[in-house]
Amino acid sequence: MRNMKKISYIVVATAVFLAASFTVTVIKKPFTWQKEVSLNMEFAGLKPIMGASSTWAGVRGTATFIRGVARGVDTLIASLNSSGIMNLTTYPSTTSGTNKFRLTTNALNITNDATATNPAYSRNFQICVGSLLAMEVYLNSAANPTGAGVVIVWQPKLFDSTLSSSANIQCSFGTIAGLGTSANGKTGMVCKWNTATPFDGATTGPIQGRIMAFDDTTNGQINVIGLAALNGTLACTGANDQYTLGYIANKASPYNTTAKWGWNDTPYASGNFIRWCAVLDSNTTNAGIFSTSASTTGYWVNDGVSNANIPSGYPTGAAVDTLITNEAPSAGALPGAAINFPSTGTAAPACPF
């Protein structure tokens, strides 16, 4: 009975963080001109930093998403480990309200986008909402998940009925390999999605996305590269726009951050990642700098700051340029098709148990 209570608590907690964390701004409207007044980032020890200015909405969105997913997955794995069910060979289907869950130990090879491996994960924790499969988490050990890493796939709409798209998102965690010299060998995450229409049903919005974040413990920084393809035109003259974003944030107070971004008419190349549409090197807002010391301005300090004029104590503009050069090609591998649940190979499977 005690174990059952623990398991029921896990399911309830899981549903709560999925609804609260996995359907955050970056899923609904991550890359738009809407005004964003603040952001909270807390990934791998990074404390809250804030940003203001409509130009930098993507910084807020990606940071919120990274924090929500990382904290949510950490919470779930810790709960699974403390409950004791990860020590079992299997855990049969159990119902908690409208949710059902189970643990299986049939090995299944899943591609981990962070580690660039295809391990046979020994454990698959599944959650169904109503009659549909809503989430799968693949790992080998909840006590030490860093070896083969962790892969999670979920459908946000099943946890947030206000969303329109029933597409899935996949995030991979582990020691990064094969994704560029800045990131390789560091702990990080890669998330991606492909949806026919924006998650919030907007006329113009992101339909493909890929975000990579990694913890640079040597320099005490978090590095982020993001790319989104839109189903329309917001800034450029072509049929569709692409939004690109790269930034580095210090993990120590006052959490200074330096960011660069760009709009692109066509699929970007490493030389035009931060351009303004068709004109190379024409984005006059780069770089943007952020710091918790600038509390009266919502922690947004300034933008249009040249590399030579970025103040001491901030990640350098050259470091952000290097991050983009090293990681942009890998970060730009947008998914060309809808994300499927690994156990079924389909995007919207019925609950299998």
Side-chain angles (χ1 to χ4, degrees):
M1 180 62 69
R2 173 179 290 182
N3 195 51
M4 179 60 70
K5 288 182 178 179
K6 288 183 179 180
I7 299 304
S8 296
Y9 173 77
I10 292 171
V11 172
V12 172
T14 299
V16 169
F17 83 68
L18 282 170
S21 299
F22 283 176
T23 55
V24 292
T25 303
V26 72
I27 299 302
K28 294 185 177 182
K29 293 184 179 180
F31 308 118
T32 71
W33 289 102
Q34 65 188 31
K35 290 187 176 180
E36 299 287 355
V37 296
S38 66
L39 71 84
N40 293 303
M41 180 191 294
E42 190 173 351
F43 173 66
L46 190 65
K47 296 299 182 181
I49 61 174
M50 312 280 286
S53 173
S54 58
T55 301
W56 300 98
V59 177
R60 178 189 189 278
T62 54
T64 304
F65 179 76
I66 291 164
R67 179 199 60 185
V69 174
R71 292 176 65 184
V73 172
D74 282 347
T75 298
L76 176 60
I77 291 175
S79 298
L80 289 172
N81 190 45
S82 63
S83 73
I85 71 169
M86 293 298 290
N87 297 322
L88 304 176
T89 303
T90 187
Y91 196 90
S93 171
T94 304
T95 300
S96 177
T98 60
N99 298 329
K100 293 193 297 182
F101 65 94
R102 73 173 180 180
L103 174 73
T104 61
T105 55
N106 297 323
L108 186 65
N109 289 86
I110 305 298
T111 298
N112 185 308
D113 294 319
T115 64
T117 58
N118 190 35
Y121 287 106
S122 61
R123 288 171 170 79
N124 177 16
F125 182 73
Q126 298 171 304
I127 292 180
C128 292
V129 175
S131 62
L132 298 175
L133 182 61
M135 186 183 75
E136 292 188 327
V137 183
Y138 289 88
L139 71 166
N140 286 333
S141 168
N144 182 25
T146 58
V150 177
V151 176
I152 178 171
V153 178
W154 76 96
Q155 184 187 139
K157 181 175 172 57
L158 291 177
F159 301 98
D160 184 348
S161 61
T162 67
L163 298 177
S164 299
S165 172
S166 57
N168 302 318
I169 299 174
Q170 178 174 321
C171 290
S172 302
F173 300 80
T175 301
I176 291 179
L179 293 181
T181 55
S182 292
N184 290 342
K186 299 177 178 66
T187 301
M189 60 187 285
V190 176
C191 296
K192 62 184 181 182
W193 68 86
N194 182 312
T195 174
T197 58
F199 278 90
D200 66 342
T203 302
T204 301
I207 55 173
Q208 293 171 277
R210 184 179 175 96
I211 300 170
M212 177 172 68
F214 60 91
D215 187 357
D216 182 356
T217 56
T218 299
N219 294 308
Q221 296 172 331
I222 298 297
N223 292 242
V224 178
I225 283 282
L227 175 69
L230 281 66
N231 65 334
T233 297
L234 290 181
C236 304
T237 58
N240 296 296
D241 289 347
Q242 288 193 356
Y243 175 94
T244 53
L245 174 69
Y247 61 91
I248 300 175
N250 291 341
K251 295 194 295 181
S253 179
Y255 316 110
N256 294 342
T257 300
T258 302
K260 296 190 177 186
W261 72 289
W263 281 114
N264 287 270
D265 259 327
T266 58
Y268 82 94
S270 59
N272 65 10
F273 190 87
I274 58 174
R275 73 192 299 165
W276 183 279
C277 300
V279 183
L280 192 64
D281 298 326
S282 59
N283 190 342
T284 59
T285 66
N286 287 322
I289 55 176
F290 308 83
S291 174
T292 57
S293 62
S295 58
T296 59
T297 58
Y299 300 171
W300 176 75
V301 179
N302 201 359
D303 63 11
V305 184
S306 67
N307 282 5
N309 291 324
I310 293 174
S312 175
Y314 286 82
T316 66
V320 178
D321 292 336
T322 298
L323 169 70
I324 291 171
T325 299
N326 289 343
E327 311 306 329
S330 297
L334 290 169
I339 305 298
N340 292 328
F341 280 97
S343 66
T344 65
T346 59
C351 183
F353 53 91

